[in-house]
């Protein structure tokens, strides 16, 4: 939003400098992006009157002019402009004047000199030479009433500034000079002076038939027939000036007046050429197959998502966006139909972007425009039209106003106590009441609760927080003390049996893994591939099509990280991530950190790909395997002991994967990526992955004192033959149970599987598992009978496993 400071001060003129005004607007939420002068600096230029011209004796294209600058004597000035003539009033640069810098970047000084033998005592200026515009067709012609000798900067109001403010989408009420003036008035307490005009009385009864067929598109439609206008009338200098300083290019009087009122009051309107309208108008949704040639020359196709204004033959306008070329006004227009409407914001949003352009009207209507003042704004434009383009034959019809579906303004409540808590300032009811009064917000008050009815031009006030924001803005963000937060603090001792995720991340880093952080949003196909989840939790408004579902596993993201690194020629990857996953669970209730029906547990996942170690001379190169990652996982859980059982998982190799058990509770999984997924995601090698519950990983046993034995340990080996289908874990479980339940086995300190044998002496479906038992007592040296009793118990326990026997 751009406007001149002088225009703003014509409505509200606080006693503050331009810098202070800029700072005030910024601190109230209307960020002033730029403040720049409307004209570059120049001096000693006055309004001059060309009294007489004569041909230059030595040049055909030059004229010698006698110019009156109000000094009592005429100046002799040589000029080559094609439009110089007696009686013309122009900017005249006196000797010693400094003009704006030229192409070389240096200011240009006017000196007394001779041109082709004739003395020139100054210079007559064009708008381009003064850097006021790019027009170089001749001298800048001034109105006949311009006072001769007056400083040109003062006469042309060039000591003015252009403000450019960067508005947030909720501040649509400030997309006009009046809207900004309302804000300044509320912030400073300076009285607001709204534009004053005389209402033009209707002198004909003519109206144009209008039907609103789409109340969900147009809630109110006001229009008026005006005949006998002079479209060739010149737009007044003051209006052109304000338009130019607001970034608008003057076009013609009819268009300029419509644009001026849009900038002044925030109301986009449209002027139709009445003689080009066939029959009446119908405000409706478009139909497939219809098209319209717009004012910008583009021809667009519409459908039932686009609102239009149509007559009995064709579409004439895109509702709230841009008019059509067929009914556009021109310099030959005499009769017009003036329209002002309220278009529902949701019916305008996104429509212009569909056609790859934007308009000032669409920008305002899609944010919300005052629905209560269509008639008043029609009257304002009518007054300007009659004043500027009126003729003795001008006829004005009555305003046809139809209201079919207007927004309801439900009161919004705000509690003083809540405002104090959020803003952090002890505000009183009277202060809040004063703020609402200054903002023009109607309210009722009862026991510290204000019930505020938003005005028709405020579409941003819907909830209590919106009103709290208004209170803070007008109170002044600078007046809110910058205090550190104060709260009762207590130093809580971290429980010894629980470690933090921070320490777990450090432990994984020690194991040569690098941390990654991925989005919780993933492709829907990933959920099917890596988690077997055919009904993932979908996002209503995903930020991208490939991020449409909430992940229920971390593995897919880690595989994507591997793929990314392989594409950049990195062939060894060891990464991990800690983060939440999302699953459905109807037992979950709403809570401070919970959403009913959805579970959000934290997981820790890791992945290893490529060589086991970086290439080196000290060891042979080999690919990382299941047991490498299993060892890392066991080290991560240490001193707790893990158990591993067979697992069927959609993302893992069926013969190289396992479920991770802590005690009897499943806490995760580990395994190689399934060959199907390895091929689908084009991975030369199969990565090994694990994913475990973070809460289980955080739990740990508190260290307890155990006496170190001073006596020697005894080591015994035991080889057991079992069928191929029997797991080593089954035997380990049997030995562990015997250790716990048999007093003779209390001296057993450790059990290690150190060998697996297949081959000679065994059947094809058999294998030999060799276990090493370490026995030790803390009280005395072990005797042979004690050791034999323990080993006999363990040998007897072997029979509990089907088909198991001691190897001969």
């Amino acid at each position: 939003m751009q406007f001149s400071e002088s225009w703003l001060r014509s409505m509200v003129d606080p006693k503050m400098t331009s810098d202070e005004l800029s700072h005030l607007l910024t601190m109230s939420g209307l960020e002033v992006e730029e403040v720049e002068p409307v004209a570059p600096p120049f001096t000693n230029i006055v309004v001059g009157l060309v009294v007489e011209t004569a041909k230059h004796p030595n040049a055909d294209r030059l004229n010698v002019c006698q110019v009156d600058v109000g000094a009592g004597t005429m100046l002799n000035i040589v000029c080559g402009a094609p439009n110089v003539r007696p009686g013309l009033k122009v900017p005249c640069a006196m000797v010693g004047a400094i003009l704006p810098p030229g192409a070389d970047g240096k200011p240009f000084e006017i000196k007394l000199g001779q041109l082709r033998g004739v003395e020139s005592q100054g210079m007559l200026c064009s708008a381009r030479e003064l850097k006021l515009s790019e027009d170089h067709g001749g001298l800048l012609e001034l109105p006949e009433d311009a006072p001769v000798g007056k400083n040109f900067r003062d006469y042309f109001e060039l000591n003015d500034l252009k403000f450019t403010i960067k508005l947030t989408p909720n501040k649509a009420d400030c997309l006009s000079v009046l809207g900004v003036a309302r804000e300044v008035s509320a912030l400073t307490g300076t009285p607001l002076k709204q534009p004053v005009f005389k209402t033009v009385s209707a002198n004909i009864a003519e109206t144009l038939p209008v039907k609103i067929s789409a109340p969900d598109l147009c809630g109110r439609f006001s229009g008026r027939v005006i005949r006998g206008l002079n479209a060739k009338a010149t737009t007044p200098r003051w209006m052109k000036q304000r338009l130019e300083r607001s970034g608008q290019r003057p076009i013609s009087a009819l268009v300029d007046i419509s644009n001026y009122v849009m900038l002044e009051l925030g109301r986009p309107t449209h002027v139709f050429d009445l003689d080009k309208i066939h029959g009446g108008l119908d405000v409706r949704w478009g139909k497939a197959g219809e098209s319209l040639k717009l004012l910008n020359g583009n021809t667009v196709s519409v459908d039932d998502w686009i609102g239009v204004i149509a007559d009995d033959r064709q579409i004439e306008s895109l509702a709230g966006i841009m008019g059509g070329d067929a009914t556009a006004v021109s310099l030959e227009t005499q009769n017009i139909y003036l329209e002002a409407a309220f278009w529902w914001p949701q019916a305008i949003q996104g429509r212009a972007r569909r056609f790859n352009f934007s308009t000032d009207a669409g920008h305002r209507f899609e944010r919300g425009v005052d629905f209560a003042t269509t008639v008043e704004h029609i009257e304002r434009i009518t007054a300007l039209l009659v004043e500027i383009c009126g003729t003795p034959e001008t006829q004005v019809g009555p305003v046809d106003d139809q209201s079919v579906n207007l927004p309801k303004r439900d009161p919004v409540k705000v509690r003083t106590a809540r405002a104090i808590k959020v803003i952090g300032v002890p505000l009183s009811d009277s202060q809040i009441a004063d703020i609402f009064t200054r903002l023009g917000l109607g309210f009722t008050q009862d026991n510290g609760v204000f019930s505020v009815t938003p005005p028709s031009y405020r579409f941003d006030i819907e909830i209590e927080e919106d009103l709290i924001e208004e209170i803070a803005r007008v109170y002044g963000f600078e007046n809110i003390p910058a205090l550190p937060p104060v709260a009762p603090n207590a130093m809580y001792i971290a429980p010894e049996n629980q470690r933090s995720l921070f320490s777990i991340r450090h432990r994984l880093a020690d194991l040569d893994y690098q941390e990654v952080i991925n989005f919780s949003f993933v492709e829907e196909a990933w959920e099917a591939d890596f988690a077997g989840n055919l009904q993932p939790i979908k996002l209503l408004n995903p930020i991208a099509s490939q991020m449409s579902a909430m992940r229920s596993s971390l593995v897919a993201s880690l595989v994507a990280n591997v793929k990314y690194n392989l594409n950049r020629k990195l062939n060894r990857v060891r990464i991990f991530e800690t983060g939440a996953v999302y699953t459905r669970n109807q037992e979950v209730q709403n809570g401070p950190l919970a959403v009913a029906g959805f579970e959000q547990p934290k997981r820790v996942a890791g992945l290893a790909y490529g060589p086991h170690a970086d290439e080196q001379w000290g060891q042979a190169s080999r690919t990382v395997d299941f047991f490498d990652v299993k060892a890392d996982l066991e080290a991560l859980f240490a001193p707790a002991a893990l158990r591993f059982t067979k697992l069927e998982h959609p993302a893992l190799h069926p013969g190289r994967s396992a479920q991770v058990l802590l005690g009897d509770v499943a806490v995760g999984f580990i395994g190689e990526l399934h060959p199907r997924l390895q091929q689908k995601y084009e991975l030369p090698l199969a990565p090994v992955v694990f994913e475990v519950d973070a809460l289980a990983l955080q739990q740990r046993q508190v260290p307890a004192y155990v006496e170190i034995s001073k006596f020697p340990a005894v080591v015994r080996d035991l080889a057991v033959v079992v069928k191929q289908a029997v797991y080593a874990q089954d035997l380990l479980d049997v030995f562990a149970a015997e250790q716990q339940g048999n007093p003779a086995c209390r001296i057993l300190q450790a059990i290690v599987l150190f060998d697996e044998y297949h081959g000679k002496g065994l059947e094809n479906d058999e294998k030999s598992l060799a276990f090493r038992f370490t026995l030790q007592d803390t009280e005395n040296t072990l005797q042979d009978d004690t050791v034999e009793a323990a080993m006999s118990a363990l040998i007897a326990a072997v029979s509990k496993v089907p088909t198991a026997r001691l190897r001969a």
Side-chain angles (χ1 to χ4, degrees), residues 270-271 292-298 316 322-329:
H270 189 62
V271 180
L292 170 66
K293 185 178 181 182
L294 298 170
L295 290 173
N296 61 7
N298 295 344
E316 302 296 359
M322 184 180 288
D325 181 69
T327 53
V329 294

Side-chain angles (χ1 to χ4, degrees), residues 207-213 218 220-225 272 277 279-284 309-310 312 337-339 341 343 400-402 404:
T207 60
L208 184 71
V210 176
K211 179 174 68 172
I212 302 177
S213 300
C218 178
R220 185 176 185 180
F221 194 96
S222 303
R224 161 177 271 173
V225 171
F272 294 87
I277 298 176
L281 295 179
D282 185 12
V283 182
R284 58 174 174 82
I309 301 176
D312 292 348
Y337 181 72
L338 180 60
E339 166 259 309
W343 307 100
D400 176 28
D401 181 33
Q402 300 182 51
V404 294

Side-chain angles (χ1 to χ4, degrees), residues 734-793:
V734 167
F735 294 144
E738 193 68 22
Q739 179 187 16
Q740 294 293 325
N742 193 334
C745 296
R746 65 178 180 83
I747 58 174
L748 181 60
Q749 302 297 327
I751 310 171
V752 177
L753 172 67
F754 69 90
D755 182 54
E756 179 179 350
Y757 172 75
H758 304 265
K760 187 177 179 180
L762 298 178
E763 300 293 336
N764 290 336
D765 64 342
E766 291 183 332
K767 61 184 176 182
S768 172
L769 301 175
F771 298 90
R772 179 160 293 159
F773 300 90
T774 302
L775 303 99
Q776 189 178 34
D777 198 347
T778 59
E779 297 178 357
N780 48 52
T781 301
L782 290 176
Q783 301 299 315
D784 288 344
D785 58 342
T786 304
V787 173
E788 291 303 324
M791 291 305 300
S792 297

Side-chain angles (χ1 to χ4, degrees), residues 670-686:
I670 180 174
E672 278 189 12
L673 192 67
H674 199 288
R676 171 179 55 84
L677 298 179
Q678 179 187 344
Q679 182 180 12
K680 179 176 180 179
Y681 291 96
E682 300 177 346
L683 300 176
L685 302 173

Side-chain angles (χ1 to χ4, degrees), residues 210 212 214-223 267 283 309 339-344 365 369-378 399-407 456:
V210 176
I212 302 177
D216 54 339
L217 166 67
C218 178
R220 185 176 185 180
F221 194 96
S222 303
R267 164 76 61 194
V283 182
I309 301 176
E339 166 259 309
F342 167 70
W343 307 100
W344 282 95
F365 280 126
V369 174
D370 190 353
F371 57 84
T373 54
T374 57
V375 174
E376 290 82 350
H377 293 174
I378 287 274
V399 176
D400 176 28
D401 181 33
Q402 300 182 51
S403 296
V404 294
N405 183 22
L406 297 182
S456 56

